Amino acid sequence: MAYLIVLEDGIEASRVELFGPVTVGRMRDACDLVSRDATVSRRHCRIEPTPEGWRVTDLNSRNGTLVGHDQVTEHILREGDQVILGSTTLLFSEQPMPRQRPQHPAEALELARSAAASTEQRDPHGLWPRPLPRPWDEPPILGSGLSDTGMPND
């Protein structure tokens, strides 16, 4: 099944597998793929399967739909096509969507390291979210040698 990689300001926001027709825009009630980009129309474009392949159709959007650098009303998508809607880019792939969870631990470690590197590049200060506070009102573990106050039993 084909899929889209959604890029917002050049950063991957999500991946969407295409099972059937998809309407893209800002209006939650009318669209299958919703964008927060103010330059995207409420109902901007539609991506649907045809016998020739996946077709993108502009839905009379204000800023138009581009494939690469060309404004289109309809276009049959090919592997690697970039559909540009305002400052949002949809990268099209005809390949099956890659699995989300690696099967081999070494592959998982490599993905984690590359994700950490890309996070450090996006945040020049290297700030990370603070850990959640530990709940201190948990009952003590029985047999731990600690009293109700958390102090050692004498």
Side-chain angles (χ1 to χ4, degrees):
M1 236 351 107
Y3 69 98
L4 298 170
I5 299 174
V6 181
L7 300 173
E8 293 176 352
D9 298 322
I11 298 172
E12 183 176 330
S14 63
R15 291 181 181 218
V16 178
E17 194 162 11
L18 299 173
F19 294 104
V22 174
T23 302
V24 183
R26 284 191 344 251
M27 189 185 306
R28 289 188 185 276
D29 298 337
C31 297
D32 305 301
L33 183 57
V34 178
S35 175
R36 296 176 298 205
D37 183 351
T39 59
V40 172
S41 294
R42 288 178 285 186
R43 291 184 67 243
H44 199 101
C45 69
R46 184 167 179 79
I47 300 172
E48 57 193 342
T50 67
E52 297 85 31
W54 288 86
R55 177 179 59 209
V56 60
T57 305
D58 184 73
L59 300 175
N60 298 318
S61 63
R62 177 174 290 205
N63 295 318
T65 299
L66 291 99
V67 176
H69 297 289
D70 302 322
Q71 188 161 352
V72 298
T73 53
E74 279 191 359
H75 181 82
I76 298 296
L77 296 171
R78 299 289 172 230
E79 181 69 30
D81 275 349
Q82 294 185 7
V83 180
I84 301 169
L85 319 170
S87 62
T88 300
T89 301
L90 308 174
L91 293 176
F92 176 77
S93 178
E94 296 173 318
Q95 304 300 315
M97 192 161 111
R99 64 183 188 275
Q100 296 295 317
R101 179 179 233 170
Q103 291 181 346
H104 195 275
E107 187 181 353
L109 182 59
E110 185 177 327
L111 284 172
R113 285 181 177 156
S114 67
S118 68
T119 302
E120 289 170 7
Q121 291 172 356
R122 280 188 258 152
D123 184 3
H125 305 292
L127 299 176
W128 294 88
R130 296 173 68 175
L132 294 174
R134 182 176 170 264
W136 291 103
D137 56 348
E138 293 178 359
I141 299 171
L142 296 178
S144 66
L146 299 177
S147 68
D148 291 351
T149 63
M151 300 300 292
N153 289 331
D154 291 325

